[in-house]
Amino acid sequence: MKAFNDLADFRREEVQALLETARWLEATRQPRALEGKVLALLFLSPSLRTQASFQAAMARLGGSSFVISPQHNIHKLETRRGVIMDGDAAEHVSEAVPALCSYADAIGIRAFAPRRHLDDDVEDRDFRALVELCTVPYINMESAILHPTQSLADWKTLDELSIPGPGAKFVLSWAYHPKELPLAVPASTVAMAAQRGMDVTVLRPPDFALPERVMEKARALAESSGGSLRETTERLEALEGASVLYAKSWSSTTHYGEDERELRRGLTDWCVEESWLANARPDCRFMHCLPVRRGVVVRDEILDGPRSVVQLQARNRMWGQMAVLHRMLA
């Protein structure tokens, strides 16, 4: 494996094989599998679970890792091409990324969306420019439009909960947040659920439709796997018979790159609470990628209750990433 960039790059059978490897590593432990291997981790945007889970994954497999982040331990990096560097940045990624690759056997890169132009972010142009600089295998740790390691962990979580692919209703719901958030998690989540063959509903307010390119990709995945895809603004109807409610906020695509405070002001009732699930299955599970704002995105009654599997998702980040690293480096 030379790259782990998009779960949809892999056939469903290949994803299942990765998950088999994850389960094998969880059950047997292989503390010398990556002995002598080094993973570089470049964080151009902040992280808690991604950083900790990748470092733990390498350590459990006997390898080592190092973290580089302009926010914490180095000077500011410039990512724009053709710029005259007379500002705060002391180094360009054109020099930094190849240098990091020369010290490691693989590299993970995390870089949030610039949120300037929707087409640029949907096409992942900035991230693709970064990985063109890589001289070793790379892992997408979240880009403008993709978060494959989260989706792999979510797939594993659904398997462990015995929630089937075809036939199970999966609702991805927009949730209130005071800030404009990236599209990566919702875009990857709707694709993952469709690829798994689930009946997927995107629940969202007006002005928050996911980009058509994202929906087209998910529709194609659903068609090939026996699932379905639809979207609605009607909450109770969307959640009728649902097995999963996955909540996440994302930016408006009709006002992309703009200040959304006025647009969001009337949407504070998009905070998940038990009343949302009146028509859902009694065992409907609540999922979220974390971090999550309590009382803003979701009520404590859900997050602390039996529906919530957010900690299982977080733990499965490590096991899924161990499988990717084992396949890439062992």
Side-chain angles (χ1 to χ4, degrees):
M1 185 190 294
K2 298 299 183 184
F4 189 73
N5 183 60
D6 183 351
L7 209 60
D9 290 338
F10 300 87
R11 297 190 309 274
R12 186 171 173 175
E13 297 76 20
E14 293 174 316
V15 175
Q16 291 170 336
L18 265 179
L19 294 172
E20 283 294 328
T21 300
R23 287 187 282 269
W24 171 66
L25 291 170
E26 187 175 3
T28 64
R29 310 299 169 95
Q30 300 292 320
R32 301 187 66 179
L34 298 187
E35 190 171 24
K37 300 291 186 179
V38 178
L39 175 66
L41 298 169
L42 176 59
F43 286 92
L44 299 176
S45 47
S47 165
L48 186 153
R49 273 151 295 279
T50 300
Q51 178 177 325
S53 59
F54 265 107
Q55 288 185 289
M58 279 300 285
R60 285 176 178 271
L61 291 170
S64 59
S65 60
F66 61 86
V67 175
I68 298 298
S69 171
Q71 296 180 328
H72 297 111
N73 56 8
I74 64 166
H75 42 253
K76 187 174 181 181
L77 289 177
E78 180 60 74
T79 60
R80 296 170 296 172
R81 289 184 173 183
V83 66
I84 297 174
M85 292 176 55
D86 57 357
D88 294 335
E91 185 167 7
H92 200 279
V93 291
S94 296
E95 287 72 56
V97 171
L100 295 177
C101 289
S102 72
Y103 308 143
D105 299 286
I107 185 169
I109 301 177
R110 180 179 175 101
F112 284 174
R115 288 192 67 258
R116 292 187 293 269
H117 304 290
L118 180 60
D119 287 345
D120 287 349
D121 290 347
V122 170
E123 295 290 337
D124 231 359
R125 291 189 178 119
D126 285 10
F127 191 81
R128 286 192 296 166
L130 284 170
V131 299
E132 285 175 2
L133 301 168
C134 295
T135 56
V136 294
Y138 74 89
I139 299 169
N140 183 334
M141 301 193 301
E142 188 174 359
S143 62
I145 202 66
L146 296 168
H147 200 341
T149 57
Q150 180 67 56
S151 291
L152 185 64
D154 292 340
W155 192 317
K156 184 175 186 292
T157 300
L158 291 167
D159 284 354
E160 290 179 7
L161 295 170
S162 299
I163 296 175
K169 188 172 184 180
F170 184 103
V171 179
L172 170 66
S173 177
W174 188 88
Y176 175 73
H177 194 286
K179 296 182 178 180
E180 303 88 356
L181 296 185
L183 294 165
V185 171
S188 291
T189 299
V190 72
M192 177 276 299
Q195 186 177 7
R196 201 169 175 269
M198 306 183 83
D199 292 325
V200 184
T201 296
V202 178
L203 171 64
R204 46 78 179 177
D207 295 316
F208 287 90
L210 289 171
E212 185 53 32
R213 173 78 177 271
V214 169
M215 296 297 284
E216 286 176 359
K217 173 182 172 181
R219 286 190 198 101
L221 289 167
E223 184 176 348
S224 64
S225 62
S228 63
L229 176 66
R230 58 186 290 269
E231 57 184 329
T232 181
T233 60
E234 298 299 323
R235 192 176 299 159
L236 290 178
E237 180 267 332
L239 286 158
E240 183 175 1
S243 294
V244 178
L245 169 57
Y246 197 120
K248 188 70 178 77
S249 186
W250 60 84
S251 294
S252 168
T253 48
T254 56
H255 299 274
Y256 200 76
E258 301 175 14
D259 187 328
E260 296 180 12
R261 280 176 291 187
E262 195 62 37
L263 179 65
R264 289 169 178 260
R265 189 160 289 149
L267 300 174
T268 55
D269 63 326
W270 285 77
C271 176
V272 180
E273 58 185 37
E274 189 61 37
S275 64
W276 283 36
L277 299 163
N279 296 328
R281 288 174 55 94
D283 59 352
C284 180
R285 300 304 188 116
F286 174 80
M287 301 180 74
H288 191 284
C289 62
L290 301 182
V292 65
R293 296 198 181 203
R294 287 173 174 260
V296 175
V297 172
V298 57
R299 302 291 182 200
D300 288 1
E301 65 190 44
I302 296 287
L303 203 54
D304 296 330
R307 296 190 186 277
S308 177
V309 294
V310 298
Q311 292 302 334
L312 180 58
Q313 291 174 260
R315 185 163 66 250
N316 279 331
R317 288 290 301 278
M318 181 181 69
W319 300 118
Q321 287 157 195
M322 285 174 67
V324 172
L325 290 166
H326 191 277
R327 185 68 58 85
M328 186 174 278
L329 297 175

